[in-house]
């Protein structure tokens, strides 16, 4: 499976942001399972899920400290690329 993600290091913390649909971000149980499944694609770094509202505003799901770090980061400044997730 391929996903669009960004490997980020901020304030000494390395983590990943992965683009998903809003329905996943709005389903905490499924979102937690997705985070666990995506971890190996990013060297087991913590993963934050990101969906966009219709107006492009990002909505994040994951560790609250990481979500807070992302609040002021423009999504077009993140280093997006395609990653392979082990099946």
């Amino acid at each position: 499976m391929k996903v669009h993600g960004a490997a980020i290091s901020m304030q000494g913390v390395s983590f990943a942001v992965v683009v998903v649909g809003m329905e996943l971000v709005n389903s905490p149980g499924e979102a937690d399972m997705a985070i666990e499944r995506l971890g190996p694609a990013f060297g087991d770094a913590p993963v934050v899920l990101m969906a966009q509202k219709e107006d492009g505003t990002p909505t994040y799901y994951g560790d609250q400290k990481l979500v807070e770090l992302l609040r002021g980061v423009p999504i077009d400044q993140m280093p997006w690329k395609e990653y392979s997730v082990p099946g």
Side-chain angles (χ1 to χ4, degrees):
M1 176 174 73
K2 303 274 188 195
V3 297
H4 282 89
I8 297 176
S9 184
M10 293 176 65
Q11 297 182 7
V13 180
S14 295
F15 60 100
V17 178
V18 176
V19 177
V20 298
M22 189 64 76
E23 65 281 353
L24 185 57
V25 169
N26 289 330
S27 301
E30 289 184 35
D32 288 335
M33 287 189 295
I35 287 171
E36 190 173 313
R37 199 168 49 245
L38 291 164
F42 299 93
D44 289 323
V47 173
V48 174
L49 304 178
M50 184 201 77
Q52 288 180 276
K53 297 178 183 174
E54 287 183 22
D55 67 359
T57 303
T59 299
Y60 298 104
Y61 180 90
D63 181 282
Q64 285 303 307
K65 290 179 184 177
L66 300 178
V67 169
E68 287 298 318
L69 283 177
L70 289 168
R71 290 222 189 270
V73 178
I75 60 173
D76 61 348
Q77 300 293 313
M78 293 183 191
W80 299 109
K81 68 181 214 177
E82 194 170 78
Y83 290 86
S84 294
V85 179

